[in-house]
Amino acid sequence: SRDCCSRCCGGGRHEAAGGEAELANGLERWGHLWQRRRRGLVQERIDGERADHLRRINELEASLQRARQEAAGGPAADGA
């Protein structure tokens, strides 16, 4: 068994018979794709969290506007 780097398989152990040369060839060939995939997943998470936060801000602003209208004695925006 060979110790593996974290880019290849998460820090596990290799059972391949090819040895270090095969591992180095695999990293050279596929390592940049793993790095790009990881960056893509991080960006996707950031974008998703941003959308969630913007949606929550809109909800809070609408709630604040309804509360202000009710406090001023006017009807609520949703007709309740």
Side-chain angles (χ1 to χ4, degrees), residues 46-78:
I46 290 169
D47 292 344
E49 288 189 11
R50 180 179 183 275
D52 289 344
H53 288 254
L54 290 174
R55 190 173 18 258
R56 181 65 178 143
I57 289 168
N58 288 334
E59 290 172 0
L60 291 171
E61 286 174 342
S63 176
L64 178 61
Q65 185 159 356
R66 282 192 304 270
R68 284 181 176 164
Q69 287 177 347
E70 290 173 5
D78 62 0

Side-chain angles (χ1 to χ4, degrees), residues 1 4 11 18 23-24 32 36 45 55-56 59 66-67 74 76 78:
S1 294
C4 178
L23 175 60
H32 70 284
R36 287 176 53 195
R45 180 173 178 181
R55 190 173 18 258
R56 181 65 178 143
E59 290 172 0
R66 282 192 304 270
D78 62 0

Side-chain angles (χ1 to χ4, degrees), residues 24-44:
N25 186 33
L27 287 176
E28 181 180 321
R29 184 173 183 184
W30 303 109
H32 70 284
L33 294 175
W34 284 109
Q35 290 295 326
R36 287 176 53 195
R37 179 177 179 262
R38 188 175 333 154
R39 278 192 298 264
L41 293 173
V42 169
Q43 187 62 47
E44 185 177 322

